[in-house]
Amino acid sequence: MDNLKRLNLELSAFCGYKCVGCPNTYMEREKGSMSIELFDKIFSEIGGSLDTVYLANYGEPLLNKNIGILLELARNTRIEKVLSTTGAMLENFEDLEFLSALDELVISINGFDQETYAKHQKGGNFGVVKRGLAKLTSIMANANTNYVLQIVAHKHNLAELDKLEHFAHQYGFKTVQIKSFNVMDNNQSTFDEFIPLDTGFSRYKTNKFPERRTNIKAPCKEWMVVNWNGDVNPCCWDYEGNYIMGNVDQQGVFGVWNSPKMKEFRRNILNDKYLSICNQCGNSQVIKRYNIVK
């Protein structure tokens, strides 16, 4: 059976944004933040045995009031630690040094003026984000952290792609990444408004939505998602938590991974017996990623 290589840890299920299509905007499962005790328990168990831990799911991880303590607990763990954030909370911290504990920090900014930014990242204030980035620039310059500027390409911000490198240089980013827009609310109206078909910036091949995928990659063969309360889902598409595989607080990380329920799930996936949430798996996400030349 496949070895566990990656975890997504939901440090917080709360978010101050109402991004178009994001499950956090409309999901109904209970929201909360991961405790110090559970986080420490997870990292103490996995040690350096995994390749990557993504410290985010569908909430804003910097809304966890103990985020600084959590990252410092994980600083010396020999696992790649990646955190993705809107950057909206950065200016609220007196000291952002704790972010240098990460191997990679991704800031998702989907437009470089307030009007474009808010088309997708609704509820966000671009000025607040820029002030936070200004506080972070010198810390990232002296850190070993790969500092990534990410933009999700859609119909409203394609013209903004020309500003990507300039903005990255201005705020000291080391890498830029362009991702394709994902219609996670399954609404045709969202698809029609945001998907730039036939531009090279779309993960979709036709204007019929949702598409049924035939090239499912099944990352769940080596990956699972741990929600803020320890519940385990097979992947990020189960944002409502309909398929609970176990709980790491009660069973441990590898206890869940090696449980009969999880083994049966992976056997089914290997035999092409997919769940309804597997429909969009396999779509291309990262369109372009490259380092910034200083």
Side-chain angles (χ1 to χ4, degrees):
M1 195 60 67
D2 296 290
N3 293 325
L4 178 62
K5 296 182 180 180
R6 167 183 161 186
L7 284 179
N8 274 38
L9 298 187
E10 185 177 69
L11 301 190
S12 176
F14 297 113
C15 189
Y17 283 22
K18 297 292 182 182
C19 294
V20 177
C22 178
N24 192 279
T25 301
Y26 54 85
M27 70 183 189
E28 296 180 355
R29 67 175 168 90
E30 184 181 3
K31 295 182 180 181
S33 294
M34 185 171 288
S35 68
I36 296 172
E37 293 75 20
L38 179 56
F39 183 90
D40 189 41
K41 185 175 183 177
I42 291 169
F43 268 86
S44 296
E45 181 185 357
I46 62 179
S49 59
L50 275 61
D51 293 340
T52 307
V53 174
Y54 288 86
L55 299 168
N57 194 23
Y58 285 120
E60 169 53 65
L62 297 189
L63 281 174
N64 187 312
K65 65 180 182 180
N66 297 311
I67 184 65
I69 297 173
L70 301 185
L71 296 194
E72 290 298 342
L73 282 172
R75 180 182 286 275
N76 296 319
T77 305
R78 290 176 297 168
I79 296 174
E80 183 184 33
K81 299 171 289 294
V82 181
L83 185 146
S84 180
T85 173
T86 63
M89 300 299 297
L90 292 173
E91 76 163 352
N92 294 347
F93 292 91
E94 184 176 344
D95 184 1
L96 291 167
E97 187 64 37
F98 65 90
L99 291 171
S100 68
L102 296 164
D103 295 284
E104 182 164 295
L105 173 62
V106 181
I107 312 288
S108 188
I109 298 175
N110 302 328
F112 301 113
D113 60 64
Q114 178 60 33
E115 182 180 1
T116 307
Y117 182 85
K119 287 286 187 182
H120 176 202
Q121 292 177 287
K122 293 187 180 297
N125 185 314
F126 187 49
V128 168
V129 173
K130 288 193 292 183
R131 291 197 296 271
L133 295 180
K135 291 181 63 174
L136 186 57
T137 300
S138 62
I139 293 172
M140 288 293 104
N142 297 313
N144 293 322
T145 307
N146 186 28
Y147 189 32
V148 181
L149 171 61
Q150 174 181 286
I151 187 169
V152 177
H154 55 72
K155 281 184 178 179
H156 299 289
N157 69 5
L158 291 184
E160 299 284 275
L161 297 180
D162 290 339
K163 304 175 184 178
L164 188 60
E165 285 197 31
H166 175 76
F167 191 87
H169 278 293
Q170 184 178 1
Y171 289 99
F173 287 94
K174 301 171 184 177
T175 301
V176 297
Q177 176 170 288
I178 303 173
K179 290 185 71 175
S180 57
F181 189 96
N182 202 355
V183 185
M184 296 200 73
D185 61 3
N186 293 318
N187 286 329
Q188 185 67 45
S189 59
T190 302
F191 184 94
D192 294 339
E193 182 180 354
F194 285 91
I195 299 304
L197 283 173
D198 302 320
T199 63
F201 296 104
S202 171
R203 68 178 66 190
Y204 303 97
K205 304 304 180 185
T206 73
N207 60 3
K208 294 180 181 179
F209 183 80
E211 294 178 323
R212 181 66 187 174
R213 305 306 303 174
T214 58
N215 59 332
I216 294 174
K217 297 179 180 179
C220 51
K221 291 185 292 185
E222 56 185 33
W223 166 44
M224 62 186 188
V225 174
V226 181
N227 291 329
W228 65 272
N229 61 354
D231 283 346
V232 173
N233 302 140
C235 84
C236 57
W237 278 95
D238 186 19
Y239 44 80
E240 290 288 11
N242 292 323
Y243 300 94
I244 303 297
M245 298 290 118
N247 186 285
V248 298
D249 197 22
Q250 300 163 12
Q251 300 164 259
V253 172
F254 295 108
V256 174
W257 181 252
N258 295 312
S259 67
K261 188 172 185 178
M262 184 64 96
K263 286 182 177 180
E264 181 183 10
F265 168 77
R266 292 202 299 277
R267 272 195 301 270
N268 287 338
I269 293 296
L270 290 170
N271 291 317
D272 295 333
K273 296 178 181 178
Y274 299 114
L275 303 172
S276 61
I277 59 172
C278 301
N279 185 39
Q280 297 300 322
C281 188
N283 282 331
S284 176
Q285 297 184 14
V286 178
I287 297 170
K288 191 174 183 180
R289 179 183 170 107
Y290 58 94
N291 294 332
I292 292 292
V293 178
K294 300 297 183 182

